[in-house]
Amino acid sequence: FQEAFVQTLVKLFPNLRVLKVNMVSDDLVLYPQLHSWSSSILALHLHAPTSGPMVQMLCQLRKLRYLTFGGAEASDGTESLMAFPACMGNLSELVHVKVVGCNLTGSASLPSTLSNLKELKVFEAFEQGRLNADDEAACPGDWLPNRTDCVPGYVARADAPESPVWRCPVHGWNLQMDDMTLPWWNWQSLEKMHIDANFIYGTIPEQLPELWPHLRSLDLHDLKLSGALPLSLTTLENLTQLQVQLNDLQCPEGVDVIAALMKRPKMRVLHVDANPRMCGCLPPEAPHFLHLSVGETSIRLNCDEHLEL
């Protein structure tokens, strides 16, 4: 960008509300000029390498409500987002954060300051660390550590594309779901949580409904989760979508959680397939408004109702 051009844009649109930045290299001219919009920009889409100037610019947007990070790699090899900037915790008006196809890694990618995002309603952070499908080396290389743990993902299982997008643990988002120190457990306003297609492991906490009481949509499919699918999820009054397929989840002892979830009046999507140890009993006919997937599980059809609901 030429500095004069950016200055002209600022003059022409002094109250800009939505900004999309798409670059493959850092721009020392663009970011310093954007402070003029710090009090007007409400939505920002960044498809650009992470850099100091970019983070500094982001920290100034105190009115920001919608933030998207897109995967991008700089021409100098700088990778896309690997951790959220700590200053994001000061963006108290954020309601929607989306980061897809970037390189978030480990719990350090979620600084404790993010606990301050009390208004956040939507968090989407699926498919971190994916290999580039356009790259000839999209198939995991022999040099990768733990190559046998690389996965093509649930989409490849369901749709069988010719060139699946692979993910490998060495580049993936590895963190423990039931680590209660993670800042996302403080997002009491959360309505949509989609963190599928990662290497997140552990169990689904029983107290999840207490921490996310307004939850409408929960996507935890294609992870590394284990343990019981909590019956407490049935207490989420607004839950319409639950996707936990392709994990190692199982039914709680003595309780048919699947039947209980199917009885929830607002439930519209319930996908629990590819959890071999998941059990339960289905009625002869599912509600016509419910999209249900139970393949590759131990769930039975029209069985004797001997479990407590």
Side-chain angles (χ1 to χ4, degrees):
F1 286 96
Q2 296 295 322
E3 184 172 358
F5 173 71
V6 177
Q7 291 176 347
T8 300
L9 287 179
V10 172
K11 290 179 180 179
L12 288 174
F13 307 103
N15 298 309
L16 192 72
R17 303 183 69 181
V18 179
L19 176 65
K20 181 175 182 179
V21 178
N22 194 338
M23 297 188 299
V24 295
S25 62
D26 202 4
D27 196 302
L28 299 180
V29 173
L30 174 63
Y31 292 131
Q33 299 295 325
L34 299 185
H35 73 275
S36 301
W37 288 323
S38 60
S39 61
S40 65
I41 291 181
L42 302 180
L44 176 65
H45 176 87
L46 283 171
H47 194 279
T50 304
S51 66
M54 183 273 281
V55 171
Q56 186 177 11
M57 177 273 294
L58 175 63
C59 293
Q60 296 176 0
L61 306 180
R62 296 301 179 92
K63 298 294 184 180
L64 197 64
R65 294 174 61 82
Y66 301 90
L67 175 60
T68 299
F69 289 99
E73 183 174 325
S75 54
D76 62 1
T78 303
E79 291 186 319
S80 59
L81 188 73
M82 299 182 69
F84 290 108
C87 68
M88 271 183 59
N90 297 324
L91 305 180
S92 59
E93 296 188 25
L94 272 177
V95 296
H96 190 149
V97 172
K98 181 175 183 178
V99 49
V100 177
C102 290
N103 289 287
L104 297 179
T105 53
S107 58
S109 62
L110 295 169
S112 60
T113 54
L114 299 189
S115 297
N116 299 327
L117 301 181
K118 304 298 185 183
E119 301 300 318
L120 194 67
K121 297 182 184 301
V122 177
F123 184 70
E124 301 172 280
F126 47 90
E127 217 169 37
Q128 304 300 308
R130 64 189 180 192
L131 300 183
N132 189 350
D134 296 328
D135 193 333
E136 292 181 359
C139 186
D142 294 337
W143 54 271
L144 282 172
N146 301 319
R147 181 179 184 269
T148 55
D149 293 328
C150 297
V151 294
Y154 182 79
V155 173
R157 285 170 56 94
D159 300 334
E162 293 184 4
S163 300
V165 178
W166 287 84
R167 292 178 289 106
C168 298
V170 67
H171 298 304
W173 202 17
N174 300 274
L175 61 136
Q176 188 172 341
M177 181 73 187
D178 51 351
D179 178 357
M180 305 313 293
T181 66
L182 294 176
W184 62 36
W185 295 119
N186 293 281
W187 298 343
Q188 287 272 321
S189 299
L190 201 64
E191 296 181 7
K192 180 179 179 180
M193 182 68 160
H194 288 193
I195 51 174
D196 45 285
N198 287 300
F199 288 92
I200 298 173
Y201 60 94
T203 63
I204 301 175
E206 187 75 29
Q207 65 268 43
L208 182 149
E210 301 173 19
L211 303 174
W212 298 337
H214 306 290
L215 201 63
R216 295 182 294 104
S217 181
L218 180 61
D219 274 18
L220 301 176
H221 67 267
D222 197 2
L223 301 178
K224 299 296 180 181
L225 298 179
S226 57
L229 185 64
L231 183 64
S232 62
L233 295 177
T234 61
T235 65
L236 288 166
E237 295 183 359
N238 297 319
L239 190 63
T240 61
Q241 174 169 299
L242 177 62
Q243 296 201 97
V244 294
Q245 63 267 37
L246 201 59
N247 280 289
D248 188 26
L249 296 170
Q250 61 191 61
C251 46
E253 184 176 355
V255 179
D256 193 338
V257 65
I258 302 302
L261 286 167
M262 288 180 64
K263 289 184 177 182
R264 299 304 301 165
K266 294 184 179 179
M267 187 66 72
R268 296 295 182 269
V269 176
L270 179 58
H271 292 173
V272 297
D273 46 306
N275 284 283
R277 295 194 291 169
M278 182 62 67
C279 61
C281 182
L282 300 181
E285 293 184 5
H288 70 278
F289 53 78
L290 178 63
H291 193 285
L292 178 68
S293 296
V294 297
E296 298 180 70
T297 69
S298 298
I299 296 171
R300 295 180 294 168
L301 175 64
N302 199 23
C303 51
D304 294 334
E305 296 185 5
H306 63 281
L307 296 179
E308 177 188 352
L309 296 184

